[in-house]
Amino acid sequence: MPTITMAQALNTALRDALTADENVVVFGEDVGALGGVFRVTDGLTSDFGEDRCFDTPLAESGIVGFAVGMAMAGFRPVVEMQFDAFAYPAFEQIVSHVAKIRNRTKGALSVPIVIRVPFAGGIGGVEHHCDSSEAYYAQTPGLKVVAPSTVSDAYTLLREAIDDPDPVIFLEPKRLYFSRADVELGAGPPIGKAAVRRQGRDATIVAYGPSASVALETAEAAAAEGRDLEVIDLRSIVPFDDETVMASVRKTGRCIVVQEAQGFAGVGAEVAARVQERCFHYLHAPVLRVSGFDIPYPPPKLERFHLPSVDRVLDSVERLQWNDTADTRWAVPV
Amino acid sequence: MTLMEPVGAPQYQKFLPADHAVQYLDTAGELTESEARYPRPSDDRLVEMYRNMFLGRRFDQQATALTKQGRLAVYPSARGQDACQIAGAMCLRPTDWMFPTYRDSMALMARGIDQVELLGMLAGEWHCGYDPARYRSAPQCTPLATQLLHAAGVAYGENRKGRDTIALAFCGDGATSEGDFHEALNFAGVFKAPVIFLVQNNGFAISVPIAKQSAAPSLAHKGVGYGIGSEQVDGNDPVAMLAVMDEAARFVRAGNGPVIVEAQTYRIDAHTNADDPTRYRDAGEVEKWLGRDPLARLEKYLREKGLFDDDAAAALAAEAEASASALREGMNAERPADPTDLFRYVFAEPTPQLREQQAQVEAELAAESEEH
């Protein structure tokens, strides 16, 4: 099997989609000759021609608004936002039009656009290059929001996103672009389905995107201390897979949500609320969140203090009110 | 020092704004002696233009009345901008795309959209009452200037598909201050999209006058900076409006890239029924613009040329009254809304969460009907 990076898996997904459907077009700033700043669109212009993969003027709202029109003409645009915080000028187009056009028109029009957003931090990027913006999109009805954490999922989810009849915000964890895996790219679970990355019986860790590997590492470390943790990778934030998450928590009775984004009003808060609404009588402890702090994304020298680390997740594992360690019982601060 | 190649001006020279607006009829409806830069529309087209404007005016009046009766949540009148709207609708083929704003109801009516459907949004029934795909007319856009990018994209996309289709996007003077206006002109120019941007400069963005909106010599001049064709026209002169729009449609359809047309006009009524224009403009100004009424101007011209007479006027008035009466009847009829529609059009397939929420509403409805 070939060893490939997540960036290469995404590139392959775009190639396969461009080959499979002549209506697929890729565009954005620097996606042509340069191949994208992360090389995800590498070689697409030379191999498929400028009609299929092309550079646009530097204007994010323009890119997304133009994609809306092209979708109305029958294309399936895949656009790149280059960096998370650079997508904010396109926010109005995304939330007021891309997300709503099906609803506004009672289904007469739809815009199957994929908006690729390299997101989150851990790469030592300067400001405006490391935001975790998933909650903004997840709060917007009409958008699907997905974030791969594995090389294999990067391919599968992107192919699915391009084929999806609805617009998809495709969040690519920057720090995983050059992670490698020996995989055959092909079929995988669909959008809307979470993956159980590790089976366990004592507690469930729910994570997605860049935090999924932190959760897995935590589970391995905890195993050494006798805690058998289950790890759920959401893969898809919208639609949300209640079934897989709840089945796991009902089995384990404990739950921690890990996210890199600031915690307040974030995806983790939503997961915690859903778990408590649905699994209250199965829980032995409050659902805990481990997240970034409620601060603007910090400068590179300080980011390690902000990002949820294995140690920080392990600390919260110990606060799950284990019956065998009464002294670690944890009370919610008033 | 940078050496630059001279810009290839001739390709858009035909559409380059003069220092004054194109005009064929003066405010009294007399032919002007201005240089005819664009072919004058045929007599038949001008008669059709008058008919559409007359029906549009009556529709606008009826919709305003329906708002006062509480049938519509709000209605932004287009009175005074009749010529701009009708010329915009008439320069298109049925296969072309139109991108209207909330004020462009007359243009949508001239597009052949059922009037009750057309008012569905303002009646609070759904965000777009008509089928945009069927009428090739996008939903009326409330955010300013966002639709201009959609028009550029669809025009480029249709062209890429090898179809002989153009797009027309309406916007107002206020919208020219928005970022999307500039991104749309730039994208359309770079990609040579066959799109017409029709700016209806009606003097005010709610209460803010054009002098506080732009320091440009005209809004049409904004096209020059993007390398696209541009023109300014007397928006209350129906002959000039139709002449320029017809030529703009021919120009973009021929592959010359986009055009921006600024129609200089005036909103006679308030921004919407919720607005109080006496706070920001004086009655004298409104009087002056009432004297430039596009309907009166064209009617006078048509009568003098023997293309319109009292009999035709009576027939047209009767048609307009019948149309208004049908609209009243349609708007007064009970049109029940289906609460489960709330969940039906969010995604192609509802998510499990939406299915749960729909079940909740259905249970509430069932409980309600048991009570009654």
Side-chain angles (χ1 to χ4, degrees):
Chain A
M1 278 185 290
T3 302
I4 59 166
T5 64
M6 181 180 281
Q8 286 167 334
L10 293 165
N11 183 271
T12 306
L14 291 172
R15 282 173 184 280
D16 290 353
L18 283 161
T19 305
D21 182 354
E22 63 179 14
N23 291 312
V24 175
V25 284
V26 175
F27 57 92
E29 163 77 357
D30 297 316
V31 300
L34 182 66
V37 292
F38 293 104
R39 306 294 181 265
V40 171
T41 57
D42 194 22
L44 299 183
T45 299
S46 55
D47 293 350
F48 291 89
E50 280 207 29
D51 273 357
R52 307 295 304 283
C53 177
F54 53 91
D55 284 327
T56 63
L58 200 172
E60 288 75 14
S61 187
I63 291 166
V64 174
F66 202 67
V68 168
M70 283 196 76
M72 287 171 68
F75 286 94
R76 297 185 90 90
V78 183
V79 300
E80 181 176 296
M81 290 286 101
Q82 200 158 87
F83 283 95
D84 32 60
F86 295 179
Y88 299 150
F91 200 65
E92 183 185 19
Q93 285 289 348
I94 295 172
V95 303
S96 292
H97 293 294
V98 173
K100 288 181 180 161
I101 203 153
R102 179 187 294 284
N103 191 259
R104 291 168 72 206
T105 66
K106 280 196 166 180
L109 294 180
S110 60
V111 286
I113 299 169
V114 178
I115 301 174
R116 293 184 35 243
V117 184
F119 95 117
I123 59 160
V126 293
E127 62 173 350
H128 311 303
H129 288 71
C130 291
D131 282 18
S132 292
S133 42
E134 63 269 29
Y136 304 139
Y137 302 116
Q139 264 277 314
T140 305
L143 300 176
K144 292 185 175 174
V145 184
V146 304
S149 76
T150 67
V151 173
S152 173
D153 264 3
Y155 176 86
T156 311
L157 286 174
L158 186 51
R159 288 299 306 275
E160 280 251 338
I162 295 169
D163 287 345
D164 200 283
D166 288 305
V168 180
I169 305 293
F170 194 86
L171 301 168
E172 301 171 1
K174 285 189 285 285
R175 69 167 123 136
L176 298 180
Y177 268 134
F178 302 105
S179 62
R180 289 178 174 277
D182 293 333
V183 285
E184 288 291 352
L185 300 178
I191 288 176
K193 201 78 193 133
V196 181
R197 297 283 180 217
R198 184 187 191 283
Q199 298 277 350
R201 61 170 194 278
D202 295 341
T204 300
I205 305 187
V206 178
Y208 56 90
S211 298
S213 52
V214 175
L216 275 171
E217 277 182 59
T218 304
E220 294 309 317
E225 296 170 16
R227 303 273 187 233
D228 183 19
L229 306 184
E230 183 147 303
V231 175
I232 308 269
D233 177 0
L234 289 178
R235 302 173 73 253
S236 163
I237 297 167
V238 181
F240 185 81
D241 185 356
D242 279 305
E243 204 180 326
T244 302
V245 173
M246 302 316 152
S248 174
V249 176
R250 283 174 188 152
K251 180 176 76 172
T252 63
R254 291 177 170 83
C255 181
I256 294 171
V257 196
V258 183
Q259 68 178 38
E260 188 174 313
Q262 55 281 13
F264 190 83
V267 171
E270 176 64 28
V271 176
R274 301 184 83 79
V275 167
Q276 274 162 161
E277 283 169 357
R278 288 162 178 76
C279 307
F280 185 73
H281 293 290
Y282 296 83
L283 288 171
H284 305 304
V287 179
L288 301 181
R289 282 174 292 162
V290 184
S291 69
F293 296 118
D294 297 329
I295 57 171
Y297 196 85
K301 284 190 174 176
L302 293 172
E303 71 177 354
R304 74 183 175 89
F305 298 103
H306 170 70
L307 297 174
S309 60
V310 171
D311 283 347
R312 200 170 280 164
V313 185
L314 276 173
D315 284 348
S316 83
V317 170
E318 287 315 304
R319 295 206 312 268
L320 285 172
Q321 304 195 2
W322 304 97
N323 298 329
D324 54 353
T325 54
D327 59 325
T328 60
R329 287 176 73 89
W330 181 79
V332 179
V334 179
Chain B
M1 186 181 156
T2 307
L3 292 174
M4 290 181 70
E5 291 291 321
V7 174
Q11 62 174 316
Y12 59 86
Q13 195 76 61
K14 185 164 192 179
F15 274 98
L16 197 60
D19 57 1
H20 59 276
V22 176
Q23 195 185 62
Y24 284 75
L25 294 179
D26 66 16
T27 52
E30 302 288 344
L31 280 173
T32 60
E33 291 179 11
S34 78
E35 188 186 342
R37 296 178 73 195
Y38 308 99
R40 194 179 62 85
S42 68
D43 289 345
D44 284 353
R45 256 178 103 60
L46 290 176
V47 170
E48 189 192 346
M49 173 105 185
Y50 183 74
R51 178 174 173 277
N52 282 328
M53 282 168 49
F54 193 89
L55 293 173
R57 173 72 63 90
R58 184 66 187 88
F59 166 82
D60 192 78
Q61 203 179 33
Q62 184 58 60
T64 301
L66 285 164
T67 313
K68 288 176 182 154
Q69 294 159 12
R71 288 282 173 194
L72 302 179
V74 66
Y75 181 74
S77 169
R79 184 157 73 106
Q81 302 176 216
D82 323 60
C84 314
Q85 305 229 338
I86 300 304
M90 283 181 64
C91 76
L92 299 178
R93 297 174 184 169
T95 46
D96 293 332
W97 275 96
M98 189 160 90
F99 289 79
T101 73
Y102 50 81
R103 198 182 298 288
D104 300 311
S105 301
M106 284 189 197
L108 288 165
M109 185 193 155
R111 197 90 170 122
I113 296 174
D114 175 83
Q115 295 178 36
V116 175
E117 287 180 21
L118 169 51
L119 291 175
M121 176 176 86
L122 300 169
E125 287 160 13
W126 203 264
H127 305 305
C128 178
Y130 51 88
D131 180 345
R134 179 179 164 201
Y135 296 106
R136 288 268 176 158
S137 300
Q140 286 176 278
C141 197
T142 306
L144 302 182
T146 52
Q147 78 281 8
L148 305 181
L149 277 160
H150 308 164
V154 86
Y156 172 72
E158 292 281 349
N159 199 242
R160 275 274 308 274
K161 295 263 184 194
R163 299 178 196 134
D164 184 18
T165 302
I166 67 170
L168 163 68
F170 291 94
C171 72
D173 40 308
T176 66
S177 300
E178 294 275 4
D180 274 5
F181 171 84
H182 300 275
E183 297 192 18
L185 265 59
N186 195 36
F187 267 67
V190 167
F191 291 104
K192 286 192 95 142
V195 55
I196 306 169
F197 301 104
L198 175 54
V199 182
Q200 294 176 79
N201 175 0
N202 67 15
F204 293 90
I206 305 189
S207 70
V208 180
I210 185 66
K212 288 188 179 173
Q213 205 66 245
S214 173
S218 80
L219 299 178
H221 278 79
K222 291 174 187 285
V224 176
Y226 295 101
I228 72 174
S230 41
E231 188 55 276
Q232 53 182 329
V233 53
D234 176 350
N236 285 32
D237 173 353
V239 181
M241 271 312 301
L242 194 56
V244 170
M245 293 306 289
D246 277 348
E247 191 59 22
R250 274 192 289 270
F251 181 84
V252 303
R253 208 184 294 280
N256 296 303
V259 163
I260 171 173
V261 175
E262 176 194 358
Q264 292 162 3
T265 183
Y266 195 78
R267 158 170 50 83
I268 296 295
D269 289 329
H271 169 64
T272 68
N273 54 307
D275 175 33
D276 177 10
T278 62
R279 294 172 76 110
Y280 56 83
R281 65 184 193 188
D282 62 54
E285 186 178 278
V286 181
E287 275 305 307
K288 188 183 80 178
W289 279 93
L290 281 169
R292 302 175 185 175
D293 184 64
L295 270 92
R297 263 157 102 169
L298 185 55
E299 183 182 353
K300 181 163 190 283
Y301 173 76
L302 293 177
R303 280 180 183 271
E304 278 175 8
K305 284 203 75 181
L307 298 166
F308 192 74
D309 57 21
D310 288 345
D311 288 348
L316 185 55
E319 187 186 349
E321 284 316 308
S323 175
S325 165
L327 175 58
R328 281 194 303 274
E329 203 173 307
M331 295 309 292
N332 288 336
E334 197 63 35
R335 292 184 305 284
D338 179 358
T340 60
D341 274 355
L342 291 170
F343 308 98
R344 196 160 288 141
Y345 308 110
V346 184
F347 295 105
E349 289 291 327
T351 61
Q353 291 77 22
L354 286 174
R355 286 185 208 283
E356 278 174 27
Q357 290 163 25
Q358 180 173 337
Q360 182 191 334
V361 168
E362 282 165 353
E364 284 168 10
L365 287 171
E368 259 179 39
S369 69
E370 264 176 42
E371 276 171 31
H372 296 128

